[in-house]
Amino acid sequence: MTTDSGTGQRRPVKTVETAVGILELIKVRDGATLPELTDELDMAKSTVHRHLKTLENLDFVVKGDDGYRIGLRTLDFGIYARDQQSVFHEGKDRVEELADETGEKVWLITHERGRSVHLFSATGARSVRTPAREGNQGYLHQLAAGKAILASFSKERVRSIADEYGLPAETEATITDRDKLFDELASIRERGVAFNRGESIPKLNAVGAPITDSNGEAIAAISVSGPSNRVKGTYLTEELPERLLGVTNEIEINLSYAES
Amino acid sequence: MTTDSGTGQRRPVKTVETAVGILELIKVRDGATLPELTDELDMAKSTVHRHLKTLENLDFVVKGDDGYRIGLRTLDFGIYARDQQSVFHEGKDRVEELADETGEKVWLITHERGRSVHLFSATGARSVRTPAREGNQGYLHQLAAGKAILASFSKERVRSIADEYGLPAETEATITDRDKLFDELASIRERGVAFNRGESIPKLNAVGAPITDSNGEAIAAISVSGPSNRVKGTYLTEELPERLLGVTNEIEINLSYAES
DNA sequence: ATCAAAGTTCAAGTAATTCGAATAGACTTA
DNA sequence: TAAGTCTATTCGAATTACTTGAACTTTGAT
């Protein structure tokens, strides 16, 4: 028996889990036909079909020529959810400015249930292309911005997050050891910023700084990232952190007066 | 017995409809508590609770201090769905340029199942603030871009859309009469662009132009809108249409070579 | 410290999902 | 044109699991 981590519940509504499983599979496969879904999910054709028709009727999936795709009703919910985040409104323009000034890729990241969520990104003139997209969820310990968020949490909370999701490696440089992570978080608290040297993508470096609320707890973080042959040395350790902290500080002040 | 319109199905998965109903209600109410949802949905407290916990576990809702909110997992699906639209990739930068040049609000709109979906917007220096948000769905006949899309459809298809959703009015100027709509669509086909004079928002004018595929069917449309005291006369009827058509034409060409 | 409101659990009944097989439709190939 | 394949759709029967209501716990306010 595994530990009852997070919101794991005893009696979930399985039919809803099934429907979301179908949605997720369509997304992962970049579209799918009824037989494809039936095979992979190991369910009766008629059952999957009924789910698809229901989801289609709800505009969560659409049927095209080459099978079913994710419908744009999800965009309505997604954009709504992001718009609810006050840090998105305060941060959006600043993130774009930062990308213009530095020329690098800049991300605004938040956390939900111990995982990272990529809220918004801006692309500078020299930005690299990475697989990350807005809306993506991931592991906090693999990101500069994520580590900056973790550094604001209590040791107990970090431990519970590590218990729930583990510390899986994405590259050879990813921190997978708890003690190393705690050391790292301590040094982040000292410096005020977090660094990432190829821990999520090889040869990609980044700086991350937290956006904290009045209790000192991070509600989000911003990162600036670029290729390691350019983003290194004092540019990485001094110049970018200074700019970043200026931006996050500004956002924090605006947020403290914008709270409803 | 009502006409079997659209994808209306005989045996939907009610449990999924219930779950989406809960999601929708949380969204409409900007967050809700368990008793609030229970009252409004007229369901047992334990049932709603179980759904909420399931949705929370799936990251579709999150529980905050003041009740449940829409979770950011929806953003992952939504952004994914938008990224799947090739017209979004081709159109995004052009829409931003157009907003910079004109200073007005520019929208990229597509259609799904006979309804409009606001895919992307860019805001110019003098843009007005409207209630529309990315992801929003609406009626095609109420929008300049929407009418431009309808104008590319067969009369039969437009009729079937009107049958399914009706032609509800949003303002006093909204076209609610079928014959008037067909006349309007004919004149749009002649001019190549559609106009909107306060038909969705009072005192807001707009021009819309379709982005058509190789079959001459609109897959999307772009609109430029602004207050009627500024956006009028030949600026509205000549200058903006010319700029718009330049942009949509460019996108169409790019799309025709980008098709997978 | 007491009370009210919100959240959570459980067993039992019922309602709805799931299944499988059979049918209809669409598209390709001979 | 016709056969064949792949996909989609429908239906009745059976079992699964959703819904309910009441009881209990927790949380927060006066």
Side-chain angles (χ1 to χ4, degrees):
Chain A
M1 175 180 153
T2 56
T3 27
D4 181 48
S5 53
T7 330
Q9 49 177 341
R10 273 159 276 292
R11 299 199 319 177
V13 183
K14 291 190 187 175
T15 310
V16 175
E17 292 184 329
T18 301
V20 173
I22 291 173
L23 274 181
E24 182 65 39
L25 189 52
I26 293 174
K27 175 165 169 279
V28 167
R29 297 196 46 134
D30 258 11
T33 61
L34 174 56
E36 284 170 1
L37 294 168
T38 305
D39 285 350
E40 199 131 352
L41 292 167
D42 210 33
M43 287 164 48
K45 202 167 43 168
S46 55
T47 305
V48 178
H49 177 256
R50 204 148 83 89
H51 271 278
L52 285 171
K53 283 301 156 198
T54 305
L55 290 169
E56 188 181 11
N57 204 43
L58 293 165
D59 286 331
F60 276 76
V61 307
V62 283
K63 193 184 164 189
D65 294 330
D66 48 355
Y68 294 89
R69 302 193 326 272
I70 302 296
L72 287 169
R73 178 94 182 277
T74 58
L75 185 63
D76 197 28
F77 279 99
I79 295 288
Y80 166 82
R82 184 168 72 173
D83 274 342
Q84 289 287 101
Q85 308 270 334
S86 54
V87 71
F88 168 69
H89 290 286
E90 294 298 335
K92 187 174 183 296
D93 292 346
R94 301 274 148 38
V95 165
E96 279 177 342
E97 285 164 22
L98 202 52
D100 280 344
E101 287 168 23
T102 62
E104 309 291 356
K105 188 90 180 176
V106 183
W107 274 103
L108 173 64
I109 277 148
T110 188
H111 63 95
E112 206 173 83
R113 296 225 284 132
R115 304 205 71 200
S116 67
V117 181
H118 285 62
L119 265 192
F120 178 73
S121 81
T123 302
R126 305 176 301 176
S127 290
V128 291
R129 219 189 311 276
T130 68
R133 277 197 309 236
E134 291 172 356
N136 285 170
Q137 300 188 218
Y139 296 98
L140 289 168
H141 74 282
Q142 295 179 350
L143 307 168
K147 290 193 291 182
I149 290 171
L150 286 177
S152 78
F153 291 170
S154 68
K155 193 165 186 172
E156 190 184 322
R157 187 166 176 191
V158 175
R159 197 177 287 120
S160 121
I161 290 173
D163 282 344
E164 187 163 1
Y165 302 110
L167 298 175
E170 185 66 35
T171 72
E172 291 184 358
T174 310
I175 299 174
T176 57
D177 181 78
R178 292 193 181 209
D179 291 332
K180 268 192 184 166
L181 178 62
F182 287 126
D183 288 349
E184 171 84 349
L185 296 183
S187 101
I188 292 167
R189 275 188 291 272
E190 267 180 37
R191 292 170 183 264
V193 296
F195 294 104
N196 181 330
R197 292 188 172 84
E199 294 159 42
S200 55
I201 294 170
K203 297 190 178 178
L204 188 78
N205 288 351
V207 207
I211 298 169
T212 57
D213 63 14
S214 50
N215 304 318
E217 190 178 280
I219 57 168
I222 293 179
S223 70
V224 181
S225 52
S228 56
N229 66 332
R230 186 174 69 226
V231 178
K232 62 182 179 186
T234 56
Y235 178 59
L236 174 65
T237 59
E238 303 292 337
E239 193 177 331
L240 285 180
E242 196 172 340
R243 282 170 182 264
L244 240 189
L245 288 172
V247 169
T248 54
N249 189 22
E250 197 181 343
I251 294 172
E252 284 168 358
I253 291 170
N254 287 338
L255 276 175
S256 69
Y257 289 105
E259 293 296 330
S260 56
Chain B
M1 175 178 155
T2 57
T3 27
D4 182 49
S5 55
T7 331
Q9 49 178 340
R10 274 160 275 294
R11 299 199 315 179
V13 184
K14 291 191 185 174
T15 310
V16 174
E17 292 184 330
T18 302
V20 173
I22 291 173
L23 273 181
E24 182 66 39
L25 189 52
I26 293 174
K27 173 164 169 281
V28 168
R29 298 195 43 133
D30 258 9
T33 62
L34 174 56
E36 285 170 359
L37 294 167
T38 305
D39 286 351
E40 199 130 353
L41 293 167
D42 210 35
M43 289 164 48
K45 198 165 49 166
S46 53
T47 306
V48 179
H49 177 256
R50 203 149 82 92
H51 271 279
L52 285 170
K53 284 300 156 196
T54 304
L55 289 169
E56 187 181 11
N57 203 44
L58 294 165
D59 286 332
F60 275 76
V61 306
V62 282
K63 195 185 163 189
D65 293 330
D66 47 355
Y68 294 88
R69 302 192 326 271
I70 301 297
L72 286 169
R73 178 92 181 279
T74 58
L75 185 64
D76 197 28
F77 280 99
I79 296 288
Y80 166 81
R82 185 169 70 174
D83 274 342
Q84 290 287 102
Q85 308 270 334
S86 55
V87 71
F88 169 69
H89 289 286
E90 294 298 335
K92 187 174 183 298
D93 292 345
R94 301 275 147 37
V95 165
E96 278 176 342
E97 285 165 21
L98 201 51
D100 280 345
E101 288 168 21
T102 61
E104 309 291 356
K105 187 89 180 179
V106 182
W107 274 103
L108 174 63
I109 277 147
T110 187
H111 63 96
E112 205 174 83
R113 293 228 283 133
R115 304 206 72 200
S116 67
V117 181
H118 285 61
L119 264 192
F120 177 73
S121 81
T123 303
R126 307 175 300 177
S127 291
V128 290
R129 219 189 311 275
T130 68
R133 278 197 308 238
E134 290 171 356
N136 284 170
Q137 300 187 217
Y139 297 96
L140 288 167
H141 74 283
Q142 295 178 349
L143 306 169
K147 290 192 292 182
I149 290 171
L150 286 177
S152 79
F153 292 171
S154 68
K155 193 165 186 173
E156 190 184 323
R157 186 165 177 193
V158 175
R159 197 178 286 121
S160 122
I161 291 172
D163 282 343
E164 185 162 3
Y165 303 109
L167 299 174
E170 185 66 34
T171 71
E172 291 184 356
T174 309
I175 298 174
T176 57
D177 181 79
R178 293 196 180 205
D179 291 331
K180 269 193 185 165
L181 179 62
F182 287 125
D183 288 348
E184 172 83 350
L185 296 183
S187 101
I188 291 167
R189 275 188 291 272
E190 266 179 40
R191 291 169 182 264
V193 296
F195 295 103
N196 181 331
R197 292 187 173 84
E199 294 159 42
S200 55
I201 294 171
K203 297 188 179 177
L204 189 78
N205 289 351
V207 207
I211 298 169
T212 57
D213 62 16
S214 50
N215 304 320
E217 190 178 282
I219 57 167
I222 292 179
S223 70
V224 181
S225 52
S228 56
N229 67 332
R230 186 174 70 227
V231 178
K232 62 181 179 187
T234 56
Y235 178 58
L236 174 65
T237 59
E238 304 292 338
E239 194 177 331
L240 284 180
E242 195 172 343
R243 282 170 182 263
L244 240 189
L245 288 172
V247 169
T248 54
N249 189 20
E250 197 182 341
I251 293 172
E252 283 169 358
I253 291 169
N254 287 336
L255 276 174
S256 69
Y257 289 106
E259 293 296 329
S260 55

